Amino acid sequence: MTQKYSVLLLATLVLQARGVFSDESAEASPAEPQHSVQVPQFAPYAVPEAALWEQFVGTMEPLWKRSRASKQDQNEDRYDGEWAVEEVVELAGVAGDKALVVKSEARHHAISARLDKPLDPAQNGVVLQYEVKLQNTLNCGGAYAKLLTSPMTGEFSDSTPYTIMFGPDKCGESKLHMIYRHLNPVTGNYTEHHLQKAPVPPTDSLTHLYTLVIGTNNSFVISIDGVEKKTGSLLEDFEPPVNPAREIDDPRDSKPVDWVDDEQVPDSSATKPEDWDEDAPAMVLDEDAAKPEKWLEDEPLMVEDPAAVKPEDWDDDEDGDWAPPMVANPRCADADGCGPWKRPLKRNADYKGPWSPPLIDNPAYKGKWAPRRIANPGYFEDLAVHKLAKIDAIGFELWTMQSGITFDNIYVGDNVETAERIAKNVWKPKHDTEVALREARNPRPVEKTKSKLDGVLELFKVRVGDISASVADFYGRARHEGIVEAVRQDRSGAIAVVMAVGGLVWLAWNLVALVRFIVGLASPAPPAPVAATNAPNASPDATASTSARTSASYSAAVKRKTKKSS
């Protein structure tokens, strides 16, 4: 029965999903209508006193330099992804507007640019703002920027020190990264501090604006499209915390051998009651039960089939003595049962089981042991975390399975008002035009009522897409960096691979079950004994001989068929 339910569930999911995907593809490929949206022409926007203001009005070089870092112990480039400065193709909200575009799929990309002047967060804080546009549907890829620590030397790579990392990322789940590196004054090493409960970025094809503001009071503000999504403190909202605990457990302390931490112990003074019978059975015969009036004790559960006829080709010497197959006794159909009646069992009211003494409070209990606390030798207190390391470059170091990730209108500085003016005068007109173009191209269809199953299938489709993206990303990492390094860097991708394999095994098992189910409907089943369902107290001995006879007849028939075919 479970197999049939599984087959029916699989068939339902396949048919419904086919409808969902076919409907979606039909809706996603309408005839592109003519539109009359006025698209503004690009014009450079002046931003004075910025550490960097980039609109990509010229060529990519010499300001932007692709990384030529080599793979470890190899001469080939580690970052083989291509970049280009070109006009936007998908939903271009500004005519003639150029941007920095990721051109390769399933590749590592790295590119960096020096700031026009170094930026010191300790003076007036930091403002980082830039646009991201996904010209192709993004299943797995990053679009985050790194503000690189001064002085930046050598080829830009993932090992290049950075001060702040900020921006959207999607591989499985979508997330807006915000990480800063803080110098530990005790160890002299930098530690990465990750934002907890990060906002979720949009993943459509519109241009979206990402803004990070770090103030001189240790505050931070994250906005998407000019709307605040997360505010907080550099001291409180990041993991691990900047300032360590004043005290820690003493690593040299250990629990004494004679320490007792059992709160309760068996009562040694307790004795087993005299009337406690450990040998009493858990179940006993129900003496109050009576045989049903319509129980036929003299009728067997199975009888010989009166309609059966000995086959003409039956050979007694080779096949043995022929006997009719057994069928369910028709007289038992309307009876309460057939065969010898047995008294049923019931729970024994006197059953108590093995005796054990009750528990009492342990007089020797000392409490839960914990190591003693000592002063933390690594303790420090930094209440001016905003004074991060100086910045002299910006870089994009990404892995992506899709091309078309586009960056534009990059502002690095310390003036919030300047960032707001850029958002109002540069980003918003572009974004509004893109929205109008999208609506003109894809007019909203008449909404139809969705069933609960439609919602489940949509969620199922999203989860499958997320897992597929994670598997693809893990595969790409494994190809370029090896399986061990891929597992170390992308545990969620490794888990997704295991889930995908398990899902394929489950699907294959159900497909086999579906084929067997269909074949079973198309072909007659071999004769088999039918057990009576109304005789729960009948003896199993009543069916033993009949089952044996039926099996013998069936085996003989198979032997005859084999003999004829040979």
Side-chain angles (χ1 to χ4, degrees):
M1 186 65 70
T2 302
Q3 181 176 343
K4 291 183 178 179
Y5 285 151
S6 183
V7 169
L8 292 175
L9 173 61
L10 176 65
T12 302
L13 282 173
V14 170
L15 293 175
Q16 289 291 336
R18 180 184 177 189
V20 168
F21 285 111
S22 62
D23 291 345
E24 185 182 78
S25 61
E27 293 175 4
S29 305
E32 187 166 328
Q34 298 294 325
H35 60 76
S36 58
V37 178
Q38 296 297 318
V39 179
Q41 187 69 30
F42 172 77
Y45 185 80
V47 177
E49 300 183 358
L52 177 72
W53 170 237
E54 179 62 270
Q55 288 192 288
F56 300 99
V57 294
T59 59
M60 185 168 63
E61 295 181 345
L63 177 60
W64 291 89
K65 296 183 178 180
R66 278 188 54 191
S67 173
R68 298 300 179 184
S70 299
K71 295 182 180 180
Q72 188 174 9
D73 301 327
Q74 298 181 29
N75 293 324
E76 59 181 300
D77 288 345
R78 177 177 183 181
Y79 297 97
D80 52 356
E82 297 292 332
W83 297 85
V85 171
E86 61 186 23
E87 292 188 21
V88 173
V89 177
E90 175 65 22
L91 282 180
V94 176
D97 185 20
K98 292 183 178 181
L100 180 65
V101 183
V102 171
K103 300 297 292 181
S104 307
E105 298 180 351
R107 292 288 186 271
H108 282 99
H109 300 74
I111 195 168
S112 61
R114 295 279 182 177
L115 303 185
D116 295 335
K117 60 180 180 179
L119 180 65
D120 185 0
Q123 299 300 317
N124 298 304
V126 177
V127 179
L128 169 59
Q129 179 172 276
Y130 67 102
E131 297 174 359
V132 175
K133 182 181 182 67
L134 307 176
Q135 297 194 66
N136 299 322
T137 301
L138 183 64
N139 292 324
C140 182
Y144 42 82
K146 291 181 177 180
L147 297 182
L148 306 178
T149 304
S150 178
M152 178 197 169
T153 59
E155 290 290 338
F156 174 48
S157 69
D158 60 349
S159 61
T160 301
Y162 68 89
T163 299
I164 296 170
M165 175 174 148
F166 171 71
D169 185 22
K170 180 185 179 184
C171 229
E173 62 177 2
S174 296
K175 181 178 182 180
L176 187 61
H177 288 290
M178 164 47 184
I179 306 171
Y180 69 87
R181 295 172 72 245
H182 177 266
L183 179 62
N184 186 314
V186 176
T187 65
N189 298 323
Y190 279 91
T191 302
E192 291 184 352
H193 301 275
H194 296 247
L195 176 64
Q196 301 182 80
K197 300 179 180 178
V200 177
T203 56
D204 56 35
S205 59
L206 299 176
T207 297
H208 293 285
L209 187 68
Y210 295 92
T211 308
L212 169 65
V213 178
I214 295 179
T216 54
N217 59 350
N218 298 322
S219 66
F220 74 90
V221 178
I222 293 176
S223 302
I224 301 177
D225 296 344
V227 179
E228 290 186 2
K229 296 296 184 180
K230 182 81 173 181
T231 62
S233 168
L234 299 178
L235 291 168
E236 300 173 357
D237 296 287
F238 289 77
E239 184 65 32
V242 172
N243 296 316
R246 290 178 179 271
E247 293 185 336
I248 60 172
D249 292 340
D250 186 352
R252 297 167 298 180
D253 192 16
S254 59
K255 185 170 70 173
V257 178
D258 60 348
W259 188 277
V260 178
D261 51 10
D262 294 325
E263 294 187 40
Q264 292 187 316
V265 293
D267 185 358
S268 59
S269 63
T271 58
K272 184 174 70 174
E274 295 182 359
D275 60 347
W276 192 289
D277 186 0
E278 290 186 331
D279 299 326
M283 304 293 290
V284 294
L285 293 174
D286 186 359
E287 300 296 341
D288 297 328
K291 183 176 70 175
E293 294 182 0
K294 294 184 178 181
W295 191 282
L296 306 177
E297 273 197 293
D298 298 331
E299 291 289 342
L301 288 173
M302 307 293 291
V303 294
E304 294 181 351
D305 185 0
V309 178
K310 180 178 179 180
E312 295 181 358
D313 57 350
W314 186 279
D315 189 334
D316 289 338
D317 293 334
E318 292 190 9
D319 301 332
D321 295 334
W322 180 83
M326 306 300 290
V327 297
N329 190 343
R331 296 184 180 180
C332 298
D334 298 327
D336 291 329
C338 288
W341 180 80
K342 291 185 177 181
R343 196 176 300 278
L345 297 175
K346 68 175 184 178
R347 294 185 61 85
N348 185 1
D350 297 328
Y351 174 75
K352 295 182 179 180
W355 180 85
S356 60
L359 296 176
I360 61 173
D361 291 338
N362 187 355
Y365 176 62
K366 295 183 178 182
K368 295 297 181 182
W369 183 86
R372 63 174 170 267
R373 304 283 288 177
I374 60 173
N376 184 358
Y379 173 75
F380 65 87
E381 185 177 45
D382 184 354
L383 300 181
V385 182
H386 70 279
K387 296 181 179 181
L388 300 170
K390 294 181 181 179
I391 302 162
D392 70 357
I394 183 172
F396 297 98
E397 190 264 324
L398 314 168
W399 161 264
T400 177
M401 292 299 295
Q402 282 75 38
S403 61
I405 301 176
T406 305
F407 304 95
D408 200 5
N409 296 319
I410 304 171
Y411 171 73
V412 180
D414 54 19
N415 194 307
V416 176
E417 290 74 17
T418 298
E420 290 175 347
R421 286 196 300 271
I422 294 172
K424 177 182 178 181
N425 299 319
V426 180
W427 168 78
K428 194 171 190 312
K430 176 193 294 187
H431 182 266
D432 291 346
T433 303
E434 290 178 351
V435 172
L437 288 170
R438 184 178 64 176
E439 291 181 354
R441 177 188 298 179
N442 302 311
R444 294 182 180 179
V446 178
E447 294 187 2
K448 61 179 181 179
T449 303
K450 291 185 177 182
S451 65
K452 292 183 178 179
L453 181 58
D454 290 332
V456 172
L457 289 170
E458 286 183 5
L459 179 60
F460 174 76
K461 184 183 73 173
V462 170
R463 294 304 182 208
V464 170
D466 290 345
I467 293 174
S468 300
S470 295
V471 170
D473 182 46
F474 182 82
Y475 172 72
R477 289 183 185 274
R479 279 187 59 194
H480 286 78
E481 302 175 8
I483 186 68
V484 175
E485 185 67 16
V487 171
R488 188 182 69 83
Q489 294 187 8
D490 189 7
R491 295 186 183 277
S492 62
I495 294 173
V497 170
V498 175
M499 293 176 63
V501 172
L504 291 174
V505 171
W506 177 85
L507 182 62
W509 184 89
N510 279 280
L511 288 174
V512 172
L514 179 61
V515 171
R516 293 179 61 187
F517 180 74
I518 295 174
V519 171
L521 291 177
S523 59
V530 181
T533 60
N534 59 345
N537 298 317
S539 171
D541 297 339
T543 62
S545 60
T546 57
S547 298
R549 290 174 59 184
T550 302
S551 300
S553 299
Y554 180 67
S555 300
V558 172
K559 289 169 57 181
R560 294 197 312 278
K561 184 176 180 180
T562 304
K563 181 173 66 177
K564 284 183 175 182
S565 62
S566 61

